[in-house]
Amino acid sequence: MKSSSVLWRTLGIASLVCLLAMLTGFGWAIKDTWFPKEGLALPKASEPEKAAGGDWSAKSELYVAALGDSLTKGTGDATGEGYVTRTIASLAERLDKPVYLVNNMAVNGMRADQLAVNLDEKGFVNAVGRADIVLLTIGGNDLFQVAQGGGSLAEGGDLSPETLRELLPDVKPRLKEVFDKIRAVNPVARIVYVGLYNAFYDVPQMREVASETVAEWNGYAYRLALADGNATVVPTYDLFEFNLTDYLSSDHFHPNALGYERIAARVADALR
């Protein structure tokens, strides 16, 4: 019995010593966390980065530059507002702050290759460089142009499905050049590209190939926007596909006031 009692006392003492040693080590390990010396404090968790050009809450006002072809110019709208003026008004109301147009530099008949050249000019560089938002329509004239004579379908020209198919691979790089040049001038502005629609959906011989071409072009624009990281493609194809008579002007190519109103609503929704 005596030897058994001694054994239990020995084990108890050993256990107490181990416990004290463990507590001492634990205290030493956490002392810098609980009572940090100067320069040893743990760093705070980093705040998530905000997307470039995507948070305008700190801005008291926003600036918009508009580029491209007759759609951005507003051709076909009897009111003269087009989608640009309507978009700016809608954004100002939704964001509850002034939104100003720096300049609308769109030109009827403008092609993407021509716009790429213009983006090297001082006036374009200044306007784009100042903008928080760049509104853009381009590519329709590159695709839907007459191979001979340089005219456009909107001017009464004619285009075969075969020619349209042949044009597509050649004009895609033009759109990329436009995106690249806008981004080189302004690294943080939101680029808003308004997608193409098929104005010839009610023309049987053009319906299929034009729809396929527009879909491929818009898909390419989406990939460019995704690669850019701060660009948005606003779809318009579905607006016009079954509403040509309601949304197209008398030239059967450009939107009318109601068509531009619908486009502006889409753009404003994409930017809110």
Side-chain angles (χ1 to χ4, degrees):
M1 288 292 294
K2 185 176 180 180
S3 60
S4 178
S5 177
V6 171
L7 176 62
W8 281 112
R9 281 201 301 270
T10 303
L11 290 175
I13 293 170
S15 298
L16 179 60
V17 171
C18 290
L19 177 61
L20 290 174
M22 182 182 68
L23 290 175
T24 301
F26 179 73
W28 181 264
I30 66 173
K31 70 180 181 65
D32 285 338
T33 301
W34 284 3
F35 309 104
K37 297 178 182 179
E38 184 178 358
L40 288 179
L42 296 178
K44 295 181 179 179
S46 60
E47 294 293 330
E49 293 185 359
K50 296 177 180 177
D55 182 17
W56 300 313
S57 59
K59 292 180 175 286
S60 59
E61 54 193 22
L62 295 177
Y63 291 90
V64 175
L67 308 174
D69 53 30
S70 54
L71 294 183
T72 292
K73 190 174 179 63
T75 301
D77 186 351
T79 70
E81 293 186 351
Y83 83 88
V84 174
T85 300
R86 289 181 170 89
T87 296
I88 289 173
S90 181
L91 281 179
E93 181 179 356
R94 295 182 186 207
L95 300 176
D96 193 27
K97 65 180 64 180
V99 181
Y100 300 109
L101 178 64
V102 178
N103 202 348
N104 188 335
M105 295 167 286
V107 178
N108 286 343
M110 177 71 71
R111 299 191 313 268
D113 59 332
Q114 295 170 329
L115 178 57
V117 173
N118 287 345
L119 283 166
D120 292 327
E121 297 177 1
K122 183 177 180 180
F124 280 78
V125 170
N126 290 341
V128 171
R130 188 182 178 192
D132 299 294
I133 302 167
V134 177
L135 300 179
L136 172 67
T137 61
I138 202 70
N141 292 305
D142 299 77
L143 294 173
F144 300 112
Q145 63 181 327
V146 178
Q148 293 81 21
S152 71
L153 289 167
E155 297 167 345
D158 189 18
L159 181 65
S160 70
E162 291 74 19
T163 305
L164 188 55
R165 286 192 180 96
E166 292 172 0
L167 286 172
L168 186 58
D170 295 331
V171 300
K172 276 184 178 180
R174 301 179 186 180
L175 183 61
K176 184 179 187 305
E177 186 176 10
V178 169
F179 268 73
D180 290 345
K181 286 199 171 183
I182 292 174
R183 187 54 70 215
V185 172
N186 191 325
V188 298
R190 176 77 62 83
I191 301 174
V192 181
Y193 179 78
V194 179
L196 299 185
Y197 57 85
N198 181 9
F200 313 103
Y201 194 81
D202 57 352
V203 181
Q205 62 270 29
M206 287 295 298
R207 178 181 300 163
E208 182 177 357
V209 66
S211 293
E212 290 174 354
T213 303
V214 166
E216 186 173 345
W217 177 269
N218 288 338
Y220 180 66
Y222 274 110
R223 292 192 293 275
L224 291 178
L226 184 63
D228 177 86
N230 192 28
T232 300
V233 176
V234 178
T236 63
Y237 184 91
D238 60 307
L239 291 177
F240 292 89
E241 183 171 343
F242 299 112
N243 299 286
L244 293 181
T245 56
D246 294 331
Y247 294 156
L248 288 186
S249 64
S250 58
D251 66 9
H252 202 76
F253 189 81
H254 297 98
N256 56 23
L258 185 57
Y260 280 117
E261 185 178 319
R262 294 299 304 276
I263 293 174
R266 284 275 178 93
V267 176
D269 284 342
L271 288 171
R272 66 181 177 180

